[in-house]
Amino acid sequence: MNRLTASVSAAAVAAGASLAMLAPSAVGAAAANVVQQVRAADLGPGRPWIRLQDDRNNENRQPGIQEVSPFADPVRFNGSLHLSIAGGQQAQAAHYYTAQVPLSTVAAAELSYDSYVRTVEDGATGTAANLQLPMVCQGAFTTLSFQPQLATDSQGRAGVVPDTWQHFESTGASLWRTSQALSTDPALPAGSDSPLSTYVAGCDAPGDGIIGLIANVGRLGAVDASLDTYVDNLTVNGTTYDFAVEGLAQGRVVLNRGNQDRPCHHASHPCPRTRGGASGGGGTAGGFVSFTDPADGPRYRAVGTRLVFSNGRALAPDDLTVTANGRPLTLTPGPGGTVTGVVSPTPSVDLNPGGTYRTALVVTHRGHPWRDGGDDGTGGRDRLKVGAELLATGYEPLQPTGVRAGTAVR
């Protein structure tokens, strides 16, 4: 059995009928990408994604780590694919189609992925996981590998930058390496690098095309070298594959009048409600913002909180004084008459699975009462409202994660 036959056989076992929707006729080049989540249960023998050791053609290769990880990606912050190797290992996760897709179709759509290299355990430099396209070209099997070390990421950085998420997208100048020699015109030797357009022009025989995609960390030259990487959001042929854990963090905001001296550090001890004027706290409220990560949730790096204050009319930063964890918070004008502020802990704080990130708040509203007319039936339309969103490090520090909470001051 040759490598092509074996790969297609593996595809049939791993993919099953559920992958029929990925046939090329179902996805047009101009169509929006479909997001397909990949969970831990989708990775393994006979499943939609197979690891290195699940393919019997890799019996002579020592597998590294290939798993869905809590490490938050920079787009959806819901986990990622962990690929790690040491001592001559190789790591990969492969997803095969049930039929070849013309390379011209794949090249006309978005081809991209996100990559992270951790230097703490990295014995190799300038290397990262790559996106691979296993394919048939002129009737022969080969694998095209995107070369991140020779590319520029979407933030304009050249090559692999350790300890940061990078988004790589294949462009006309991007280089792809062929694993096998190809009898194209001109012929391409094994290990040579060419733009994807070169392969599109040369791999045009009947039956040519890609048979799937692979996230791969290849064996390194030095036997004692190691490489610890994460990848996510692999986008090929109109589908974005989003590796994700099961849980997500949940937010909570508690902020009540008359509690400026008791900022309610524990969710189990909510602030008591206090009504009235200055004797009951007047224009000051205390409380907290908390984000709790379940045991099966992501690992959020270097977190923060974005606060948004509104009251149904145009607020200005001078209308409020806010302290977060006992420190004054800088406020700026936001859209629609809102006021915003960002809490950024120093030193940085991670939110790990099973943990809680909490910020104590004290808010003073100046200029007019919390809501016009007190409790005269206005329905609280001018009551101060506080929204909070969890921020975390992705491509850049303090990116929005989509985890939100809010409340109205009572």
Side-chain angles (χ1 to χ4, degrees):
M1 179 181 293
N2 62 30
R3 184 67 179 85
L4 171 60
T5 304
S7 296
V8 174
S9 299
V13 173
S18 63
L19 295 183
M21 65 178 182
L22 294 177
S25 60
V27 180
N33 295 322
V34 175
V35 177
Q36 186 175 109
Q37 286 198 334
V38 183
R39 307 285 190 176
D42 298 318
L43 196 62
R47 297 177 184 178
W49 286 78
I50 60 174
R51 302 161 301 174
L52 184 81
Q53 66 268 31
D54 300 327
D55 186 340
R56 58 180 175 272
N57 294 284
N58 295 324
E59 292 178 350
N60 64 334
R61 295 175 182 265
Q62 180 67 28
I65 296 173
Q66 305 137 120
E67 63 184 3
V68 176
S69 165
F71 192 73
D73 72 287
V75 178
R76 296 171 185 85
F77 291 89
N78 58 3
S80 58
L81 174 65
H82 185 200
L83 300 174
S84 182
I85 61 171
Q89 296 173 330
Q90 182 176 355
Q92 64 176 219
H95 175 62
Y96 291 103
Y97 300 156
T98 55
Q100 285 96 323
V101 180
L103 184 58
S104 58
T105 300
V106 174
E110 180 182 351
L111 264 174
S112 65
Y113 72 111
D114 293 310
S115 170
Y116 184 97
V117 175
R118 189 191 299 277
T119 57
V120 174
E121 302 174 16
D122 181 11
T125 58
T127 307
N130 53 26
L131 171 62
Q132 296 185 328
L133 303 177
M135 70 169 298
V136 181
C137 179
Q138 295 296 323
F141 177 81
T142 191
T143 299
L144 304 184
S145 300
F146 181 82
Q147 300 298 297
Q149 74 277 10
L150 303 177
T152 299
D153 68 16
S154 61
Q155 290 81 38
R157 297 171 294 209
V160 176
V161 180
D163 296 316
T164 187
W165 277 104
Q166 294 180 270
H167 180 74
F168 290 107
E169 183 167 355
S170 181
T171 67
S174 300
L175 296 178
W176 293 74
R177 182 166 298 170
T178 176
S179 62
Q180 303 295 328
L182 299 177
S183 58
T184 54
D185 186 15
L188 299 173
S192 62
D193 298 327
S194 299
L196 203 59
S197 58
T198 299
Y199 301 105
V200 171
C203 303
D204 58 352
D208 282 1
I210 74 165
I211 62 172
L213 66 148
I214 303 172
N216 176 75
V217 175
R219 291 180 290 188
L220 302 174
V223 295
D224 59 344
S226 63
L227 188 64
D228 194 26
T229 75
Y230 299 83
V231 296
D232 209 344
N233 306 307
L234 286 77
T235 301
V236 179
N237 194 34
T239 299
T240 297
Y241 299 95
D242 170 31
F243 291 83
V245 293
E246 296 293 334
L248 286 175
Q250 299 292 319
R252 185 184 183 201
V253 181
V254 173
L255 200 62
N256 294 329
R257 288 185 290 171
N259 288 284
Q260 64 272 30
D261 296 324
R262 299 179 63 194
C264 311
H265 289 283
H266 302 285
S268 61
H269 180 69
C271 299
R273 295 182 61 182
T274 305
R275 297 184 179 273
S279 62
T284 299
F288 64 88
V289 175
S290 66
F291 294 98
T292 300
D293 198 9
D296 61 352
R299 179 195 167 202
Y300 302 90
R301 292 188 304 130
V303 297
T305 305
R306 182 174 183 263
L307 298 170
V308 179
F309 301 90
S310 62
N311 71 344
R313 61 174 70 189
L315 271 179
D318 289 344
D319 293 334
L320 300 174
T321 299
V322 180
T323 62
N325 293 328
R327 297 181 179 180
L329 183 66
T330 300
L331 301 176
T332 59
T338 61
V339 170
T340 67
V342 173
V343 180
S344 179
T346 303
S348 64
V349 174
D350 293 341
L351 176 55
N352 294 312
T356 296
Y357 160 57
R358 188 186 304 273
T359 302
L361 293 179
V362 176
V363 181
T364 299
H365 191 300
R366 296 192 298 273
H368 54 78
W370 288 112
R371 60 175 179 167
D372 289 348
D375 295 318
D376 64 356
T378 60
R381 68 176 185 273
D382 294 323
R383 178 179 291 169
L384 186 71
K385 298 177 178 65
V386 183
E389 181 171 14
L390 178 67
L391 307 178
T393 298
Y395 298 124
E396 303 292 345
L398 299 180
Q399 280 185 223
T401 65
V403 179
R404 300 182 179 92
T407 192
V409 175
R410 299 183 178 275

